[in-house]
Amino acid sequence: MTGSRLLSAVLLLQMALPAAAGAAGAGDRLDRFRTLASTRLMFADVADPERAAEAYREAHALLDEEIVESLASGSVFASPAFLQDRLDGFADAWGGATLRLARIGPLTVATFQLGEAPGASSVRVYGPARGEPQLLAALQREGRPAVHPLPAAAGGTPQFAVVWEGAPTGRGTRPLRVDLVRQRGDDVEVVWTTAEAGLPTLVARDYRLRGGEMRLRYELRYPGWIPGCEQQTEQEDVFRLSPDGAGFVRVSQRQHNAWHRTLRQAVAALVAALGSGDRAALAALVPDPGLRGRLPASLTVEPACDAPDGPNPGAVSVAATTAEHEPWTLTFVRHGGGWRLRSASPVLQ
């Protein structure tokens, strides 16, 4: 072998050794993850919380190592397509895992869902710090995370939203939390969240994130609201990213089926007027003096769904009982912007 060929062979060997070492390390991690999945992750949801949390931490650490090593290798190994392919291999090793990856500016953002138990969901943010790729932040909440890229903040600062979706309620809604995450130097921080924006217990029917706008439709909890009933009042808010970088700002809101909340306010006022003997309030709610005279001295509204006469009702029947536990039906009709009692009678049994 000539000197030039020998030198070329040595150079090729030097280039191949790190790649081989990396492949060996990746294979070892995948084997460890597969063992972890079959021996501990499979039972994490039913095991004690401390052992489950430890299993999830170990799994997250293996995935962190895989991503950071690939990012450090650069070239094709740091591409989103290659990284997602590697994550798909880990997901295949544990069928209960959902592993997704997105590139947002210089940041690589991964969403890990390893199960349904607390601690199973995590959003991991990787990026350069002190000249080397590393894990910058890890967010953990209840629910399934989904990452939504957003327009960059002032100065081109990368930012994105994380939507955490809880388990379905069975009535077409689910708990929801939205975090606005932004890079700050070598750190990544949550700079805004629905939990601190007047929506701490958000149960949403629908949400949409497009560009810098977010639309949320969610349940309103008010006296008379009953889980599972149709046509109850819900609110829809529109938020936009504020120019000053503070986060999302509510720019509009409207209510769906607003009539039901107003109706229930009238029902509560009727019950209170009967109980206190407030004749003036009772006359305002029950204009017919004959009907007022037939009403029981007290009524309790039953926790049952109301019966409207249509999608945008003009009359609604409400279930109630007397102090003697006799069931009554109260029928309210619209009057201006409110409701008045039109009829009330015992239920024939």
Side-chain angles (χ1 to χ4, degrees):
M1 181 179 293
T2 64
S4 60
R5 289 183 177 179
L6 179 60
L7 178 59
S8 298
V10 170
L11 290 174
L12 288 172
L13 181 61
Q14 289 176 336
M15 294 173 63
L17 284 175
D28 179 58
R29 273 191 296 274
L30 184 56
D31 289 340
R32 287 155 58 196
F33 187 87
R34 187 177 288 110
T35 300
L36 182 63
S38 62
T39 59
R40 295 168 63 191
L41 289 180
M42 184 176 295
F43 307 103
D45 289 353
V46 296
D48 66 86
E50 290 187 5
R51 292 186 61 188
E54 182 182 356
Y56 291 135
R57 281 195 297 269
E58 289 186 28
H60 289 149
L62 289 172
L63 295 168
D64 289 339
E65 290 176 13
E66 180 71 23
I67 292 176
V68 169
E69 182 180 278
S70 293
L71 291 173
S73 298
S75 186
V76 67
F77 303 108
S79 68
F82 179 86
L83 289 168
Q84 185 61 62
D85 185 66
R86 293 298 303 160
L87 290 179
D88 289 345
F90 283 83
D92 290 342
W94 168 228
T98 301
L99 312 175
R100 295 287 181 265
L101 186 134
R103 183 66 53 80
I104 301 173
L107 304 176
T108 298
V109 184
T111 55
F112 298 156
Q113 176 76 27
L114 301 178
E116 301 298 334
S121 300
S122 183
V123 173
R124 327 286 282 189
V125 185
Y126 312 88
R130 294 176 292 279
E132 295 182 358
Q134 56 186 276
L135 176 67
L136 300 181
L139 307 177
Q140 285 190 292
R141 317 270 191 221
E142 292 187 12
R144 291 182 174 271
V147 169
H148 297 262
L150 295 172
T157 303
Q159 61 181 353
F160 57 92
V162 182
V163 179
W164 304 86
E165 296 187 34
T169 61
R171 52 183 184 268
T173 57
R174 64 177 67 224
L176 197 79
R177 173 180 172 135
V178 182
D179 293 332
L180 174 59
V181 185
R182 184 178 298 155
Q183 184 178 19
R184 285 185 174 171
D186 288 344
D187 293 325
V188 174
E189 299 178 355
V190 175
V191 298
W192 182 93
T193 175
T194 51
E196 298 174 1
L199 299 170
T201 55
L202 181 64
V203 180
R205 181 168 303 281
D206 187 30
Y207 80 90
R208 280 176 283 171
L209 266 164
R210 182 176 299 172
E213 183 176 284
M214 175 173 63
R215 189 179 298 268
L216 298 172
R217 177 171 172 173
Y218 55 93
E219 294 177 346
L220 281 181
R221 304 297 175 87
Y222 50 90
W225 180 88
I226 299 173
C229 293
E230 299 291 333
Q231 298 190 54
Q232 298 188 101
T233 306
E234 295 181 350
Q235 185 152 305
E236 184 173 332
D237 294 347
V238 176
F239 296 83
R240 291 198 182 103
L241 287 172
S242 61
D244 62 5
F248 282 103
V249 176
R250 185 185 283 109
V251 296
S252 69
Q253 60 183 202
R254 68 186 182 108
Q255 291 186 349
H256 299 264
N257 296 320
W259 62 265
H260 188 262
R261 189 178 190 180
T262 307
L263 166 71
R264 278 299 181 150
Q265 290 171 345
V267 173
L270 173 66
V271 171
L274 285 172
S276 65
D278 188 337
R279 294 184 178 182
L282 195 59
L285 291 163
V286 191
D288 182 351
L291 177 57
R292 287 200 304 272
R294 294 194 302 271
L295 289 175
S298 66
L299 283 171
T300 300
V301 179
E302 287 294 292
C305 296
D306 301 328
D309 65 359
N312 187 28
V316 182
S317 296
V318 178
T321 55
T322 65
E324 294 76 26
H325 305 291
E326 182 183 20
W328 277 55
T329 296
L330 312 176
T331 301
F332 288 79
V333 294
R334 289 183 187 267
H335 180 82
W339 295 82
R340 299 292 182 268
L341 186 67
R342 181 179 67 185
S343 65
S345 59
V347 177
L348 298 178
Q349 294 180 314

